[in-house]
Amino acid sequence: MVGRIITCEDDIAEGTEFLCRAEPRFAEVCALTGPWPLRRREDGFEALRDAIIGQQVSVAAANSIRNKVIGAGYGDPVSIAGASEEDLRACGLSRQKVRYLQALSNSGVDFAGLRAMPDEEVVAQLLPIPGIGRWTVEMYLIFALGRADVFAVDDLALAEGARILFDLPERPKRKQFNELSAAWSPWRAVAARGLWAYYAACKDREGVAP
């Protein structure tokens, strides 16, 4: 079962209202941050291509490299699969990212078909591809496929945001974070947006370490 899909700001507002009733501290988050962002993007090859390009580099560097890759004619899976390592590295990609992008290009993933798959089936399809970890799949589920009940327990910003909001002695580990976020279902992806916004606000206000 796919479940609820987030498509617009009204969905975020509905999820936010639910969360504020389920956990009053989310109302505190809203008061600090204002409405939480939709942040949807198109699904498909390009979303995962950009995720790989953006690994371990700044947003500005990722945008620059992506623009060079596309400008050189290597924006789609066929052209990337057929390109030489030298040509792709000339766009600013590391050898590892060239391997990852070519593996993705040759994976044969039916991206349209992912839309109808339950979350864990999407994970099973994407996780075996080199360079695609569970966090990347979760970001794809949340922002490209719009799944409303996905949460990334390994995300450091989410963990730090939760630590501050719930006055925890340390960032919650995977098991603890799964248990904490269970109460936010079926709107865990909205809760994630709220915690990201809260972490960013706290970081700007107090210099919180990542």
Side-chain angles (χ1 to χ4, degrees):
M1 182 176 174
V2 170
R4 183 70 177 266
I5 301 296
I6 293 172
T7 62
C8 62
E9 282 82 1
D10 286 347
D11 296 326
I12 299 295
E14 182 182 345
T16 302
E17 184 179 349
F18 169 89
L19 291 164
C20 291
R21 288 197 307 267
E23 172 48 72
R25 273 170 282 202
F26 278 118
E28 299 174 23
V29 174
C30 288
L32 177 64
T33 66
W36 305 334
L38 177 62
R39 289 180 64 187
R40 281 296 308 272
R41 67 158 297 163
E42 259 187 77
D43 66 330
F45 171 82
E46 291 80 7
L48 287 177
R49 175 202 67 197
D50 293 349
I52 289 172
I53 290 173
Q55 289 173 357
Q56 298 181 320
V57 297
S58 69
V59 172
N63 289 338
S64 175
I65 295 168
R66 185 193 64 227
N67 291 339
K68 288 177 183 176
V69 168
I70 294 171
Y74 301 124
D76 63 279
V78 173
S79 62
I80 290 175
S84 68
E85 180 182 309
E86 290 75 18
D87 287 340
L88 290 173
R89 281 186 48 78
C91 299
L93 294 164
S94 65
R95 283 191 175 86
Q96 189 176 54
K97 287 185 180 179
V98 169
R99 182 169 69 85
Y100 291 166
L101 286 173
Q102 292 191 319
L104 175 64
S105 299
N106 288 313
S107 66
V109 171
D110 175 10
F111 286 101
L114 296 181
R115 297 168 189 163
M117 291 183 185
D119 299 338
E120 285 307 315
E121 287 188 26
V122 176
V123 173
Q125 287 280 316
L126 299 180
L127 201 56
I129 301 170
I132 304 294
R134 187 168 185 102
W135 181 88
T136 300
V137 179
E138 288 164 344
M139 296 304 104
Y140 187 82
L141 284 163
I142 292 171
F143 297 119
L145 293 181
R147 303 297 170 88
D149 201 28
V150 173
F151 194 80
V153 293
D154 295 321
D155 187 278
L156 290 180
L158 290 182
E160 180 65 11
R163 182 192 69 78
I164 301 167
L165 182 61
F166 294 96
D167 196 25
L168 302 174
E170 61 181 5
R171 293 171 186 164
K173 303 294 192 293
R174 175 188 288 265
K175 183 175 184 294
Q176 182 188 6
F177 216 2
N178 272 321
E179 292 170 353
L180 180 64
S181 64
W184 308 335
S185 180
W187 291 104
R188 287 180 294 174
V190 177
R193 287 169 167 87
L195 285 174
W196 276 316
Y198 181 67
Y199 169 75
C202 291
K203 185 177 179 182
D204 288 342
R205 186 179 59 185
E206 300 173 3
V208 175

